[in-house]
Amino acid sequence: MRHWLELFERSIYIVLMAFLMVVLLFALFELGWLLFTGLFEGPIYRLTSQKLFDLFGYFLLILIGLELLETIKAYLDRREFHVEIILLVAIIAIARKVILLGSATAGELIGIALIIIALCGGYYLIRRAGMSHSLPPDNHGPSPERREEP
């Protein structure tokens, strides 16, 4: 029964990856269309600030999708979720929100600032914990060349 459950779970992840690839492809086409129409409509070779914000929004949306695709792929390969990648997706998503944010109240800005601080703090702690597992080359013990003879 466990084998069938794992097979079902794996097939769901593969379907999710396929759907995400389709969404990313259409988002990429939309980004290209926005860039093309922004450059060649109205004042030629000039983008308004609103069009630039739209372009940055789609660009970051595509980056978020790619990171999610990488997360699913890593899970299928190694059967583990990388918290670091998930935190990066969240940081990119909140950066997209900040870029596309028109006007906001003080409470919204404080909330977004607290989310950014929490995500960046979590990312820092994850990175710091990952680095503590590896020792610098000098602390790995005696190398075969420096081995003392009895």
Side-chain angles (χ1 to χ4, degrees):
M1 181 68 171
R2 184 171 173 87
H3 172 72
W4 292 106
L5 184 61
E6 288 177 4
L7 186 63
F8 177 72
E9 182 183 2
R10 187 170 180 82
S11 63
I12 293 294
Y13 281 120
I14 290 171
V15 170
L16 278 175
M17 284 179 65
F19 286 163
L20 189 55
M21 288 188 302
V22 170
V23 168
L24 284 173
L25 186 64
F26 280 109
L28 187 64
F29 287 147
E30 181 71 20
L31 175 64
W33 181 254
L34 281 175
L35 182 62
F36 180 78
T37 58
L39 287 175
F40 297 112
E41 284 182 355
I44 198 149
Y45 301 122
R46 212 163 155 214
L47 294 171
T48 64
S49 61
Q50 183 58 42
K51 288 183 181 179
L52 278 174
F53 282 126
D54 290 343
L55 287 173
F56 284 138
Y58 272 99
F59 184 77
L60 289 173
L61 187 65
I62 292 170
L63 282 178
I64 290 169
L66 287 173
E67 290 296 331
L68 287 174
L69 194 64
E70 180 65 29
T71 301
I72 296 171
K73 190 172 68 170
Y75 180 76
L76 283 176
D77 288 345
R78 297 180 290 276
R79 305 292 284 174
E80 62 187 18
F81 282 106
H82 291 276
V83 178
E84 182 179 347
I85 294 175
I86 294 170
L87 282 173
L88 282 175
V89 168
I91 291 170
I92 293 170
I94 199 72
R96 180 179 184 269
K97 174 72 175 169
V98 168
I99 288 172
L100 297 178
L101 189 66
S103 61
T105 65
E108 290 173 336
L109 292 177
I110 290 171
I112 290 173
L114 290 175
I115 291 171
I116 291 171
I117 290 169
L119 288 173
C120 291
Y123 182 76
Y124 170 76
L125 291 174
I126 295 289
R127 292 288 295 192
R128 186 169 173 191
M131 284 192 266
S132 66
H133 294 299
S134 62
L135 296 173
D138 295 337
N139 296 338
H140 284 288
S143 65
E145 297 87 33
R146 291 188 283 159
R147 195 175 294 166
E148 295 178 19
E149 307 234 353

